[in-house]
Amino acid sequence: MKSLKNHISLIIALFTVLASVQIYVAVDRTIAAYETRLKDDYSVIVVANKAFTTEELKSMSSMIERSEPISTTQVLDRLKGEMSQKNLDLLRLTLPKFYRIYLNRYPSPKEINNLQRLLQRNPTIERVEGFAQTHDTIYKLMLLFKNVVQVFSLAIAAVTSLLILKEMRLWQFQHAERMSIMALFGAPVWLRSAVLFRLAIVDAIIATFILCLAFFLIDYYGFLITQLKAIGISVQLFNFVDDALRSLGIALGISVALTFMIVIFPNEED
Amino acid sequence: MDKVIIAQNLSLSYKEFETIISKASFSIDTGSFVFITGASGSGKSTLLKSFYGAIEPKQGQLSVGGVNMNRISTSKLNFLRRHIGIVFQDYKLIKEWTIEKNVMLPLIISGYTSDVSGSQVQKLLGHVKLIHQAGKYPLELSGGEQQRVAMARALAHNPILILADEPTGNLDEYSSSVIWSLLEGANTQLKTTVVVVTHHIPEQLNIPYKHYHIDAGNINEIA
Ligand SMILES: Nc1ncnc2c1ncn2[C@@H]1O[C@H](COP(=O)(O)OP(=O)(O)OP(=O)(O)O)[C@@H](O)[C@H]1O
Ligand SMILES: [Mg+2]
């Protein structure tokens, strides 16, 4: 374990890359979960002269998931005392139909406008209220946050990859003597560098394991999750099958690719 | 008779305007035993290097084991080297490996299973009287012991050609005689071609040999 220090720096570098990718994924997932919540709460109000079935409304836009009529009796009941029954009956007859339309995803302001225009093409529809101006600000902030995280994780991945490359040059230097002796006895490149590949693979596995452990602890102690629950989002920050496998793939991919790079450009041998 | 090494007008040098071996023509018969002598710095090690492809001919032709060494490809060179056993003047043992594993190196490279190579290594360590040191590391051994490890490694894969650079340079008379009889045995029993760089040709040798002397870049056969 002479080279424990080298191991640690490679493992930390790989872990950093994995963590930044995972944070990106978790943010993405959180926003998706928040979108579902917003979608469930969000509806468009349609005012029409004629009765529509859900199917009729659905045929107007693929975004529409379901609709429900808004009953007017409650409003009319409130007016009972102030109006005569005759006038009330007249009002009931002339009153348009109100519908609440739920969508299958949370729309962007542009999508709301499009939907509005689409529905209003129908002459029997009088008014469509999309509430585009009250479009969720938290949501916009989250999208901004997502973009920032994306840029950061890319930058971190690039910088750390360079660090890993430097680290492996160091390994190569340490192993150069052994590798050149092996070459003098006719060992092909892959055999000479087998040790480097083994180190790279072992470190990738360890880095992935540490990532799993970190997210397990976050899960176990309920950091973040409780805060997210508070704003009505339930999301899995780390999936111990899919995410673990993807992380392992990324770690192996980076470390093995970089090992290949230093093996393809070898030191001069004696 | 077959030739394992053929040199025609072979010139060797490290730098542009320098000549270490100059237009040498000679050949080494398959299965023969050859000594190379010469003053320090005369180019003996350099000549051996050209035989295992660590230095390319500056001019002229060189072929080893039927392979042309001028602009040889890496894969061909690797193949050739797997059939050569080299004892380096500075031993070149792998510091991080045990003595046992060092001797096993050529067998690992040739892909022998561990039980085959294990018994071969035990046999060779027995020959060079180092069984009791098998688990140690090179830097824990004396110079002479390291040299004997290098000898055992050179013989491990039953090469067709052994190139030994002063293999007894650090050894007492008894250890030297062990090395000479090992080389003699490989030559007579396995028909291995042996090329040895040395300052003293041993008197005990019971086999015919050739003797080349390097002087001022020329290689002369001594009758
Ligand atoms: N790697 C190298 N680069 C440049 N010059 C070298 C190199 N190796 C050897 N030389 C030079 O080539 C000449 C021959 O060296 P070589 O090692 O072949 O001598 P030698 O006959 O083996 O000597 P010795 O008996 O001391 O081992 C020397 O003058 C040496 O300085
Ligand atoms: Mg020499």
Side-chain angles (χ1 to χ4, degrees):
Chain A
M1 282 281 112
K2 260 182 287 176
S3 53
L4 191 70
K5 234 170 75 188
N6 301 328
H7 275 282
I8 288 174
S9 40
L10 179 65
I11 290 169
I12 289 174
L14 283 172
F15 173 78
T16 311
V17 175
L18 295 185
S20 60
V21 170
Q22 189 58 41
I23 287 168
Y24 174 70
V25 169
V27 167
D28 206 44
R29 223 172 259 163
T30 308
I31 288 168
Y34 191 63
E35 273 175 4
T36 330
R37 216 212 75 187
L38 287 175
K39 182 204 82 177
D40 291 343
D41 288 352
Y42 178 82
S43 58
V44 175
I45 307 291
V46 170
V47 186
N49 294 328
K50 121 183 207 280
F52 280 107
T53 65
T54 296
E55 290 313 311
E56 281 171 319
L57 286 169
K58 263 180 145 175
S59 67
M60 290 182 215
S61 166
S62 58
M63 270 184 86
I64 298 173
E65 192 175 66
R66 65 196 164 86
S67 72
E68 54 190 41
I70 302 172
S71 152
T72 49
T73 40
Q74 246 183 357
V75 187
L76 292 175
D77 282 351
R78 239 187 283 155
L79 296 172
K80 236 171 201 167
E82 296 159 34
M83 274 192 204
S84 66
Q85 187 60 39
K86 203 181 147 199
N87 282 348
L88 219 53
D89 285 343
L90 197 66
L91 188 60
R92 184 170 286 134
L93 280 175
T94 51
L95 205 63
K97 307 273 182 269
F98 294 87
Y99 293 98
R100 195 183 285 281
I101 289 178
Y102 292 95
L103 305 181
N104 53 19
R105 63 167 182 274
Y106 188 62
S108 67
K110 207 176 136 200
E111 281 175 320
I112 297 176
N113 287 334
N114 284 343
L115 181 70
Q116 239 165 333
R117 237 181 296 125
L118 210 65
L119 293 174
Q120 274 169 340
R121 260 192 228 150
N122 190 312
T124 54
I125 291 181
E126 256 176 34
R127 236 181 95 81
V128 178
E129 182 49 78
F131 307 104
Q133 61 285 7
T134 61
H135 203 267
D136 195 276
T137 29
I138 297 179
Y139 179 62
K140 280 180 194 151
L141 270 175
M142 281 184 123
L143 285 183
L144 178 71
F145 181 57
K146 180 177 153 180
N147 288 337
V148 170
V149 168
Q150 189 169 25
V151 169
F152 264 101
S153 45
L154 275 179
I156 288 174
V159 170
T160 353
S161 293
L162 286 178
L163 283 179
I164 295 172
L165 193 66
K166 253 188 92 184
E167 187 59 44
M168 286 184 163
R169 280 263 173 242
L170 208 73
W171 280 9
Q172 192 190 27
F173 180 71
Q174 287 171 347
H175 290 274
E177 193 191 358
R178 183 184 48 73
M179 287 166 78
S180 77
I181 293 172
M182 291 179 85
L184 289 171
F185 282 87
V189 176
W190 64 264
L191 187 61
R192 271 180 255 164
S193 30
V195 174
L196 294 184
F197 280 107
R198 202 161 57 220
L199 290 175
I201 290 170
V202 167
D203 287 2
I205 292 171
I206 294 175
T208 311
F209 177 75
I210 295 176
L211 183 82
C212 292
L213 192 69
F215 274 93
F216 173 77
L217 291 177
I218 289 173
D219 230 29
Y220 186 78
Y221 288 106
F223 305 125
L224 292 171
I225 296 285
T226 34
Q227 282 161 309
L228 288 170
K229 279 244 169 70
I231 52 169
I233 298 173
S234 80
V235 65
Q236 195 177 19
L237 294 177
F238 190 85
N239 178 319
F240 285 91
V241 181
D242 292 357
D243 291 351
L245 283 178
R246 190 200 40 248
S247 300
L248 185 63
I250 292 172
L252 283 176
I254 291 177
S255 61
V256 171
L258 293 179
T259 311
F260 259 113
M261 273 184 67
I262 63 164
V263 165
I264 289 167
F265 310 107
N267 287 1
E268 273 311 298
E269 60 199 34
D270 189 10
Chain B
M1 201 175 230
D2 269 355
K3 312 283 188 194
V4 67
I5 294 173
I6 306 168
Q8 277 164 343
N9 293 320
L10 175 69
S11 294
L12 300 172
S13 69
Y14 293 96
K15 291 178 221 99
E16 199 59 49
F17 300 107
E18 152 205 81
T19 337
I20 291 167
I21 301 293
S22 149
K23 296 195 179 149
S25 296
F26 60 90
S27 62
I28 293 175
D29 294 335
T30 304
S32 64
F33 204 113
V34 175
F35 286 107
I36 294 170
T37 58
S40 178
S42 58
K44 306 180 294 295
S45 299
T46 306
L47 184 64
L48 286 194
K49 273 187 197 174
S50 74
F51 295 165
Y52 58 82
I55 183 171
E56 261 202 61
K58 256 284 136 54
Q59 273 171 33
Q61 295 295 313
L62 176 66
S63 102
V64 177
V67 178
N68 184 358
M69 301 301 281
N70 302 62
R71 277 193 215 90
I72 186 173
S73 73
T74 311
S75 58
K76 253 192 189 163
L77 184 60
N78 282 340
F79 179 79
L80 180 66
R81 284 174 173 178
R82 287 201 284 274
H83 294 92
I84 301 179
I86 315 170
V87 182
F88 298 95
Q89 195 170 6
D90 56 353
Y91 321 142
K92 292 200 193 300
L93 300 178
I94 295 174
K95 291 196 294 285
E96 304 88 354
W97 288 9
T98 61
I99 298 312
E100 198 171 8
K101 194 169 177 193
N102 265 284
V103 175
M104 208 180 274
L105 174 68
L107 300 167
I108 295 171
I109 292 170
S110 295
Y112 284 92
T113 58
S114 55
D115 48 329
V116 173
S117 48
S119 62
Q120 171 79 340
V121 168
Q122 288 309 308
K123 197 180 84 187
L124 285 162
L125 286 177
H127 287 335
V128 296
K129 316 273 185 283
L130 286 174
I131 292 257
H132 56 294
Q133 310 276 43
K136 286 198 179 173
Y137 291 87
L139 296 181
E140 298 169 344
L141 264 56
S142 76
E145 285 172 324
Q146 290 181 45
Q147 194 158 35
R148 282 182 280 154
V149 174
M151 187 73 232
R153 180 178 64 179
L155 294 168
H157 49 311
N158 294 329
I160 59 162
L161 172 64
I162 291 177
L163 306 172
D165 201 343
E166 299 193 28
T168 59
N170 261 314
L171 300 180
D172 60 44
E173 232 167 283
Y174 171 71
S175 297
S176 299
S177 69
V178 169
I179 296 296
W180 291 125
S181 57
L182 274 174
L183 288 172
E184 196 180 329
N187 180 250
T188 53
Q189 284 151 37
L190 303 170
K191 304 280 172 269
T192 309
T193 310
V194 179
V195 178
V196 187
V197 168
T198 186
H199 288 295
H200 307 284
I201 297 179
E203 277 136 29
Q204 65 172 86
L205 228 56
N206 301 316
I207 47 168
Y209 60 83
K210 269 191 180 179
H211 176 189
Y212 290 105
H213 186 76
I214 303 180
D215 187 23
N218 300 309
I219 302 178
N220 307 306
E221 187 174 351
I222 310 244

